[in-house]
């Protein structure tokens, strides 16, 4: 399966540097020596328009970091899926642990967002992952099961991507070992097959996220059932982001 290398810029970037970053990635991805991966960048809402302009005519896709589940209406500060589609987004991250933690997002809400994204022709990147305390208590796999059971969208048309992001590995410089990642991804794969059937479950990409850097990307991307990366900090550095793609290609 061709790997997806997705950059989650989080709450970073003003017009000047965000535009420059997107331009650099788009130019490289257009080049003949680009690795055989799919590229995606997910800037903050404020930069979607400007970044879309930079990516036009390049193979780099555009994603958002969140969406509301409603069509439109009285939801101050929220952004509807149709608005993202209108800005050429093909993907939207839902259920990132920073939203689950900082905004109290529940599995039920994440599921509604994933279904709304799909209804508008976008691919949700649904994030799951255990905390350090849950891992220490030997509950990591149970937590993943519960999150998947509660937040996977109902079977239907359209793509779905899962991102396994252990909370303790995000922005900490600590990466899960290849064995931990292999076990978690096998667990997710089994759950996807159970929910959507053998064929569909086998075709969905499962990304790893959490302190992915050029130095560890080779090992992580060579791990069974790892179909790409969701990259935070390193996606803000074009050379690092590029090298992660090369390691995956
Ligand atoms: P870091 O790569 O900065 O650890 O962030 C990972 C992440 O949360 C991507 O969504």
């Amino acid at each position: 399966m061709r790997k997806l290398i997705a950059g989650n810029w989080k709450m970073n970037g003003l017009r000047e540097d965000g535009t420059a970053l997107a331009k650099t990635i788009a130019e490289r991805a257009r080049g003949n020596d680009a690795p055989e991966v799919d590229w995606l960048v997910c800037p903050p809402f404020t930069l979607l328009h400007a970044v879309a302009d930079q990516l036009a005519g390049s193979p780099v896709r555009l994603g958002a970091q969140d969406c509301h589940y409603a069509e439109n209406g009285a939801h101050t500060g929220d952004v509807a899926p149709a608005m993202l589609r209108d800005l050429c987004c093909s993907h939207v991250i839902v259920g990132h642990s920073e939203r689950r933690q900082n905004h109290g997002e529940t599995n039920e809400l994440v599921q509604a967002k994933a279904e709304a994204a799909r209804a508008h022709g976008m691919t949700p990147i649904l994030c799951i992952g255990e905390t350090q305390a849950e891992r220490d208590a030997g509950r990591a796999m149970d937590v993943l099961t519960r999150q998947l059971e509660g937040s996977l969208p109902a079977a239907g048309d359209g793509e779905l991507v899962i991102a396994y992001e252990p909370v303790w590995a995000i922005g900490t410089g600590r990466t899960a070992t290849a064995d931990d990642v292999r076990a978690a991804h096998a667990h997710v794969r089994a759950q996807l097959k159970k929910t959507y059937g053998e064929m569909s479950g086998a075709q969905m990409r499962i990304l790893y996220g959490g302190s992915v850097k050029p130095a560890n990307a080779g090992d992580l991307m060579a791990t069974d059932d790892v179909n790409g990366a969701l990259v935070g900090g390193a996606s803000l550095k074009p050379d690092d982001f590029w090298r992660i793609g090369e390691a995956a290609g």
Side-chain angles (χ1 to χ4, degrees), residues 8 10 96 98 165 169-172 209-213 230-234:
N8 175 8
K10 306 194 180 185
H96 192 280
E98 286 152 15
E165 298 205 310
I170 295 177
T172 57
S211 298
V212 178
K213 309 279 180 237
L230 184 54
V231 185

